[in-house]
Amino acid sequence: MTTPRPPLKSLDDALAQLLACATVLAEQESVSTFDADGRVLAQDLVSALQVPALDNSAMDGYAVRCADVLHAQAQLDGVLPVSQRIAAGTEGTVLAPLSAARIFTGAPVPPGADAVVMQEDCEVLQHPDGAAVRFKVVPAPGLNIRRAGEDVTLGAVVLSKGELLTPAALGLAASIGMNFLPVVRRPRVALFSTGDELVMPGDVPPAQMKPGAIYNSNRFFLRALLLRLGCEVSDLGVVPDRLDATVQALQGAAHHHDLILTSGGVSVGEEDHIRPAVQSLGTLDLWQIAIKPGKPFAYGRVQQAHFIGLPGNPVSSFVTFLLLVRPFLLKLQGVQQFAPESIAAPAHFTCAKADKRREFLRVRRNAAGGLDLFPNQSSGVLTSAVWGDGLVDHPPGHTIAHGDLVRFIPFSELLG
Ligand code: AMP
Ligand code: MG
């Protein structure tokens, strides 16, 4: 009598298990701010100055005392003499009473001035004693002045430990004078493909491909996804479909890597050697999850390295990477916020098929604000992942009628 298999693990449970195993890498390094895009900050960044350092002008125009302009409007035909000129990078002097200072964007507002009138609201006059300006408006105090510290105050934490650095974050770090940043070291990932049918593009031209041979596509997107997540990738090529070769490959990779990532060979057929190989070298802690595509997903340990086995079918491999490997690698680098934001959007399709597994459908936003479904949802059809711009999270046993609001996760939330 065979005992029935327990139900497959849910995606949420599998993710929680994976994250619990992802201990943050302890080592950090200092990298040039130029090279820190996509890296994870290892310490809080505290500002040693305020930004902007001084009150400065938001416009090209004239710095004034508002009361002086009011007075000029009443008694001087709106005209004030220009008493100084302040360009960005220079510093003015105290604004002389009943005068205006020519000022340019970013230049410090001179002491005494309380507003900047933009030059479009002024008329330049040639006065016998030098330049003068006629104001067409009376400014309110504070007009067009960017206040000292309005961006960053002295001592503020501008970026926190665990933050994934974006181009804008690099700019912000530079604005407080940081030319090097402390970041968590890159995870070292060994990448393998498995499958005797795999051929590298370039090795055999399409016309000479033997029957049954296919090009290795997973290797290309997995490598690219890993690089986007800040990993150092050792691409260790294709492992033949033999147990001894699989054991040897895993063993060799375990020493120098934080993670061994494989694709294929993790299902239930006799040609699937990944599971027994991992079990012979370490532990297999998770195998198969209740999602579609992507059921044959595996997690374990091979010596001190983490092991993740992705399914061979390209879409399964791609989707499970986005849903499980991405958060795992971000957590490994100390990122705390990596859950993708989903959006409620109307389905412009129907999906009657109720599956016991949670499905992730490849869809694309249309001009009407709805979602179109790629017609072929097969796990082998990689076109769906290129045509689509995201996934619909389709709960088990659910049906989707035209117009129903569904949970849409844009790929932009899952790539990097
Ligand atoms: P497997 O999980 O090894 O049984 O593979 C499932 C399916 O995915 C088979 O049709 C394989 O040929 C295909 N496959 C496996 N690895 C790759 C790969 N690296 N690139 C493209 N297709 C693959
Ligand atoms: Mg295979």
Side-chain angles (χ1 to χ4, degrees), residues 10-141:
S10 71
L11 175 63
D12 291 344
D13 287 351
L15 182 59
Q17 185 181 345
L18 230 62
L19 294 178
C21 297
T23 310
V24 180
L25 299 171
E27 302 95 323
Q28 43 179 282
E29 59 193 6
S30 177
V31 299
S32 161
T33 304
F34 280 122
D35 300 325
D37 184 30
R39 302 296 297 271
V40 180
L41 207 55
Q43 290 164 28
D44 287 352
L45 281 197
V46 178
S47 181
L49 81 172
Q50 55 177 1
V51 183
L54 301 167
D55 286 358
N56 69 89
S57 178
M59 291 283 175
D60 291 338
Y62 294 86
V64 293
R65 276 184 198 84
C66 296
D68 289 354
V69 179
L70 198 61
H71 177 80
Q73 294 279 14
Q75 305 198 12
L76 304 169
D77 196 22
V79 177
L80 290 174
V82 177
S83 55
Q84 59 178 313
R85 186 174 189 280
I86 314 165
T90 66
E91 203 185 358
T93 55
V94 177
L95 184 65
L98 282 176
S99 79
R102 178 68 169 131
I103 196 164
F104 299 90
T105 305
V109 173
D114 60 7
V116 171
V117 180
M118 63 176 180
Q119 62 190 31
E120 292 83 345
D121 289 335
C122 303
E123 184 187 344
V124 179
L125 307 170
Q126 280 315 315
H127 219 247
D129 316 319
V133 64
R134 175 179 288 124
F135 292 92
K136 301 180 208 166
V137 295
V138 177

Side-chain angles (χ1 to χ4, degrees), residues 98-336:
L98 282 176
S99 79
R102 178 68 169 131
I103 196 164
F104 299 90
T105 305
V109 173
D114 60 7
V116 171
V117 180
M118 63 176 180
Q119 62 190 31
E120 292 83 345
D121 289 335
C122 303
E123 184 187 344
V124 179
L125 307 170
Q126 280 315 315
H127 219 247
D129 316 319
V133 64
R134 175 179 288 124
F135 292 92
K136 301 180 208 166
V137 295
V138 177
L143 183 73
N144 294 325
I145 294 179
R146 304 192 287 212
R147 292 295 175 198
E150 73 175 23
D151 189 359
V152 178
T153 54
L154 181 68
V157 175
V158 296
L159 293 164
S160 307
K161 178 179 171 175
E163 218 161 312
L164 187 58
L165 294 166
T166 60
L170 301 189
L172 187 59
S175 80
I176 63 162
M178 306 292 298
N179 60 335
F180 279 86
L181 295 176
V183 297
V184 178
R185 80 154 165 84
R186 294 180 185 279
R188 293 190 275 268
V189 182
L191 177 63
F192 288 109
S193 317
T194 72
D196 290 345
E197 71 280 31
L198 299 177
V199 172
M200 272 302 280
D203 285 356
V204 180
Q208 284 157 33
M209 287 285 274
K210 293 206 185 87
I214 61 165
Y215 287 119
N216 187 342
S217 51
N218 295 0
R219 187 172 181 180
F220 288 82
F221 65 72
L222 291 174
R223 181 175 180 277
L225 288 167
L226 289 168
L227 292 176
R228 280 196 182 202
L229 286 165
C231 299
E232 219 172 85
V233 182
S234 312
D235 184 342
L236 299 174
V238 179
V239 182
D241 284 327
R242 285 196 333 263
L243 183 60
D244 60 339
T246 310
V247 168
Q248 202 182 356
L250 294 179
Q251 201 163 25
H255 296 298
H256 306 294
H257 297 96
D258 302 300
L259 169 67
I260 302 172
L261 184 68
T262 63
S263 81
V266 76
S267 295
V268 288
E270 306 88 86
E271 297 293 343
D272 294 321
H273 301 293
I274 288 284
R275 254 182 353 120
V278 172
Q279 279 164 330
S280 77
L281 294 168
T283 57
L284 192 84
D285 305 315
L286 170 68
W287 182 55
Q288 294 196 331
I289 46 181
I291 63 167
K292 189 180 169 187
K295 179 176 153 193
F297 176 93
Y299 171 80
R301 309 273 314 189
V302 175
Q303 291 146 20
Q304 87 298 339
H306 298 278
F307 163 79
I308 292 179
L310 299 177
N313 276 307
V315 183
S316 310
S317 217
F318 184 70
V319 169
T320 49
F321 186 101
L322 299 185
L323 298 177
L324 291 153
V325 183
R326 173 186 172 271
F328 179 83
L329 286 169
L330 291 176
K331 169 90 192 295
L332 216 55
Q333 294 176 79
V335 179
Q336 278 141 28

